[in-house]
Amino acid sequence: KRQILLAFKITTQNSMSVLTTKAPTPNATTSKRPTEPPEPANICSFHSVLPEDVLEAELLKESIAWPETPSLPPNFSLNDTSGSAHSTFTILPRNGGGSWRVGDQLEVLIQIADFHGRRKSSGGDVLLARLHNPTLFAGVAGRVLDHRNGSYTAAFSLLWEGSAQVEVTLVHSSEAVTVLQKLTQEQPDRVFFRSLFRSGSATETTTCNVCLQAPLEKLCNYTDLHTGEPWFCYKPKKLNCGTRITHAKGGFRQNLRRMQEKLFNSAVNMKVYIPASGPANITVSTKPKGTKVGNVLRTKPSGYYYNGVWRSLDGTTVRQFETATKMSRCLKGKVLHLYGDSTIRQWFEYLTKTLPGLKTFDLKTPKQNGPFLALDYPNNILVSFRCHGPPIRFSSVPANQLRYIANELDALLGGTNTVVVIGIWSHFSTFPVEVYIRRLLTIRRAVEQLLTRAPGTLVIIRTANPKALSLYEAQTNSDWYSLQHDKVLRAIFKKVKVRLVDAWEMTLAHHLPHNLHPQPPIIQNMIDVRHQRSRIMSVLLLLGIIQSTK
């Protein structure tokens, strides 16, 4: 079906906003040049998806629509924008009065103000909320509701006895979101890539990207024949398209004005805590025996930390591997395929460091992008890692090692001893969301086909996670971009028989600082998640603290 779609007649478009633009058949990796059309045309779009996916893509985009944010005149004043100094949060009284109990829902009212102390009258700020107890190493992520008038409500599930402290973080002001939206709309190619072409002693380097606005005769078209994923490079002046040997990140175009840059100050208005207007913590008691709480956990967190250990609430089991031997026993006879970005490479690195019997087989590949292979012969364990196909911002990847996850899945036999872990999100942040939607839909089709021919295969999807932000990171990997993509990923795989590792909540709820690559204790908790009904989940159901979603 994909091959038929790839033969779809090319419609020339001058606009980059057309959803159904299809790229022509790509060059084969030979010395032959592509067939050149008689007329120059823009042949690609950052906003294209397969014709069959147009409706779903539109619905996905509607589902992540952000509240309207204020426009920014060229001479705007930073004092009129959202800040943390005069913003506050207030813990609201318990519904029905009385003392707080395990199983209750805590609600917090957040009021955003500008640097003058004036309350904001519109929404669109990016906020994160966490409830935690440092002594117990306990924590749970909160859910934030934007009332679109400058006020927000954060809701938390009360899941442990003792102290529970509220923490609210202003990630970005609504004015910063305006800038981020504009960046994606006007500069989707602000991160660009380069490829080296070589033939004998002759070499050339050209720029590459998802889309390049140039006539076909000036481009090398590397659109994947099987998935239809587009990729283009400017054609070298002397060498042909078949001589491409590497892919690498080329650079980043910085186009913000000085005042716009001030919206991304980590000490002032980016990833800063909002103070409480009163008490910031409460004391939680045990729920009295025989008392029915009902479905009060309306926030439905995927889990929470207690004593530093993740306790799942979404139907999965968390099993602590106290020793490497127990972990090896769990993985015995398994083939574990890891596909994605560096946040999935962390899993490979963690496993090979933790399991003494798991030995890395030296494939003479770059340390950043692999591919990697590790074997434990006595326990019959195989672990592999391969990075996803472009766009990927690694230093240098051999062109013949660029593989799309969907193609890798199509080549798998699968079965009850096969585990597939996919994590793909970080390298798509600078592009319009259609680029990410298109990639996930091709992966979903491949996952569904794998599960059809090998139903016993376990497929795990790792979500995005919040991270530390600088001015550069905000423009290329902002939590706001990640949050949007995270919602898209969850929606796309919602009805597929896969399991999610909720890296977003597992990072947000933890006491360690946010990092693109979460620290080892968080990675350990991710790997400790077993995808069966959890014992904790069953106990909470019996106690009436939560209700089944079935």
Side-chain angles (χ1 to χ4, degrees):
K1 185 176 182 181
R2 292 195 189 105
Q3 292 174 339
I4 295 173
L5 288 169
L6 285 169
F8 181 71
K9 182 179 179 181
I10 306 161
T11 303
T12 304
Q13 300 288 351
N14 293 321
S15 170
M16 292 175 59
S17 62
V18 177
L19 282 169
T20 57
T21 306
K22 277 295 294 170
T25 304
N27 314 115
T29 53
T30 67
S31 61
K32 295 181 179 180
R33 290 179 180 269
T35 302
E36 298 181 0
E39 74 283 355
N42 289 336
I43 63 166
C44 61
S45 168
F46 282 101
H47 301 273
S48 66
V49 296
L50 291 173
E52 65 201 56
D53 296 329
V54 171
L55 178 59
E56 184 172 2
E58 285 299 309
L59 293 174
L60 287 166
K61 287 162 61 181
E62 289 176 10
S63 72
I64 62 170
W66 198 254
E68 185 177 355
T69 58
S71 59
L72 285 178
N75 59 343
F76 76 93
S77 170
L78 188 67
N79 289 330
D80 297 330
T81 66
S82 301
S84 63
H86 298 287
S87 299
T88 61
F89 72 81
T90 305
I91 295 177
L92 300 179
R94 180 178 183 268
N95 186 22
S99 59
W100 295 101
R101 306 285 187 178
V102 172
D104 285 347
Q105 177 170 279
L106 173 69
E107 293 190 352
V108 172
L109 179 64
I110 305 165
Q111 181 62 57
I112 301 298
D114 64 19
F115 286 84
H116 290 294
R118 298 173 302 196
R119 290 189 173 188
K120 298 293 291 293
S121 58
S122 60
D125 301 287
V126 185
L127 302 172
L128 295 178
R130 177 171 78 112
L131 192 68
H132 66 113
N133 181 317
T135 304
L136 298 175
F137 295 101
V140 65
R143 179 169 296 180
V144 178
L145 174 65
D146 187 342
H147 299 296
R148 307 194 180 201
N149 60 3
S151 65
Y152 303 76
T153 298
F156 305 92
S157 302
L158 301 185
L159 295 160
W160 63 83
E161 296 178 52
S163 177
Q165 183 174 333
V166 176
E167 180 182 280
V168 179
T169 302
L170 174 64
V171 179
H172 289 305
S173 65
S174 55
E175 291 81 8
V177 173
T178 298
V179 173
L180 294 175
Q181 289 175 323
K182 189 174 181 181
L183 277 176
T184 301
Q185 293 166 1
E186 299 181 359
Q187 303 170 37
D189 59 349
R190 61 189 180 279
V191 170
F192 59 94
F193 305 84
R194 294 194 185 280
S195 275
L196 175 66
F197 296 76
R198 177 181 293 160
S199 179
S201 60
T203 61
E204 291 184 64
T205 300
T206 71
T207 298
C208 308
N209 219 317
V210 173
C211 182
L212 297 171
Q213 293 305 296
L216 178 60
E217 65 268 18
K218 294 183 179 181
L219 297 177
C220 291
N221 180 7
Y222 299 108
T223 299
D224 184 68
L225 281 168
H226 189 56
T227 64
E229 288 289 344
W231 194 255
F232 299 88
C233 297
Y234 286 118
K235 189 177 293 185
K237 293 180 180 179
K238 296 180 180 179
L239 302 180
N240 64 57
C241 295
T243 61
R244 176 178 176 240
I245 62 169
T246 65
H247 163 92
K249 178 185 175 182
F252 169 71
R253 299 182 181 93
Q254 164 75 292
N255 291 313
L256 291 186
R257 298 191 301 272
R258 181 169 296 181
M259 277 303 299
Q260 291 176 326
E261 290 182 0
K262 291 183 178 181
L263 292 169
F264 303 95
N265 189 329
S266 58
V268 177
N269 54 13
M270 182 171 70
K271 277 287 177 95
V272 287
Y273 296 127
I274 292 176
S277 62
N281 61 288
I282 62 170
T283 300
V284 183
S285 303
T286 307
K287 188 187 71 166
K289 292 182 179 181
T291 302
K292 291 186 177 181
V293 180
N295 189 20
V296 295
L297 298 189
R298 296 185 297 275
T299 56
K300 295 182 180 178
S302 63
Y304 66 105
Y305 286 105
Y306 191 81
N307 288 331
V309 177
W310 183 253
R311 298 187 172 190
S312 178
L313 296 172
D314 63 359
T316 57
T317 297
V318 178
R319 174 182 176 182
Q320 276 191 286
F321 296 106
E322 294 87 356
T323 65
T325 301
K326 290 185 177 181
M327 185 180 289
S328 295
R329 192 178 301 144
C330 179
L331 293 174
K332 188 172 184 177
K334 303 294 184 184
V335 176
L336 179 60
H337 296 291
L338 309 174
Y339 300 112
D341 54 33
S342 57
T343 64
I344 283 295
R345 187 187 67 217
Q346 277 190 283
W347 288 35
F348 183 91
E349 294 164 347
Y350 179 86
L351 289 170
T352 53
K353 184 178 180 180
T354 303
L355 302 180
L358 189 63
K359 305 298 183 183
T360 301
F361 189 87
D362 188 1
L363 298 176
K364 310 298 181 184
T365 53
K367 291 184 178 181
Q368 186 179 33
N369 47 268
F372 304 131
L373 180 69
L375 301 168
D376 180 341
Y377 283 103
N379 290 300
N380 194 26
I381 301 170
L382 184 150
V383 181
S384 68
F385 165 80
R386 181 175 287 278
C387 67
H388 65 74
I392 190 160
R393 301 192 296 261
F394 285 168
S395 56
S396 183
V397 184
N400 62 4
Q401 290 297 327
L402 291 172
R403 310 285 176 81
Y404 291 97
I405 293 175
N407 292 341
E408 293 296 297
L409 296 178
D410 285 344
L412 287 183
L413 181 62
T416 55
N417 291 322
T418 300
V419 180
V420 173
V421 185
I422 300 169
I424 177 170
W425 57 279
S426 179
H427 297 258
F428 289 77
S429 296
T430 60
F431 297 100
V433 72
E434 290 92 340
V435 175
Y436 190 55
I437 290 172
R438 181 175 60 217
R439 182 63 55 88
L440 291 187
L441 290 177
T442 65
I443 293 173
R444 186 181 69 183
R445 277 187 277 268
V447 167
E448 290 171 335
Q449 291 169 3
L450 172 61
L451 295 177
T452 297
R453 67 178 181 271
T457 307
L458 175 60
V459 179
I460 300 169
I461 309 291
R462 182 205 189 278
T463 72
N465 59 263
K467 63 194 75 65
L469 295 178
S470 62
L471 174 61
Y472 169 78
E473 287 289 338
Q475 295 175 80
T476 59
N477 241 358
S478 164
D479 283 352
W480 181 72
Y481 292 135
S482 300
L483 182 60
Q484 301 296 88
H485 290 179
D486 187 63
K487 292 177 181 178
V488 165
L489 181 144
R490 294 169 191 265
I492 285 178
F493 286 97
K494 184 177 182 179
K495 296 183 179 180
V496 184
K497 193 180 178 182
V498 300
R499 296 291 187 175
L500 289 183
V501 170
D502 198 332
W504 188 272
E505 288 197 17
M506 295 182 82
T507 303
L508 177 57
H510 204 277
H511 65 86
L512 287 171
H514 298 172
N515 196 306
L516 173 62
H517 301 110
Q519 295 186 38
I522 300 176
I523 300 300
Q524 178 182 350
N525 274 288
M526 291 181 188
I527 291 175
D528 281 352
V529 172
R530 295 177 61 203
H531 297 276
Q532 304 166 5
R533 175 178 287 280
S534 73
R535 186 174 300 174
I536 296 172
M537 180 80 165
S538 300
V539 170
L540 292 175
L541 283 166
L542 288 172
L543 292 176
I545 292 177
I546 63 175
Q547 291 184 355
S548 174
T549 57
K550 291 184 179 180

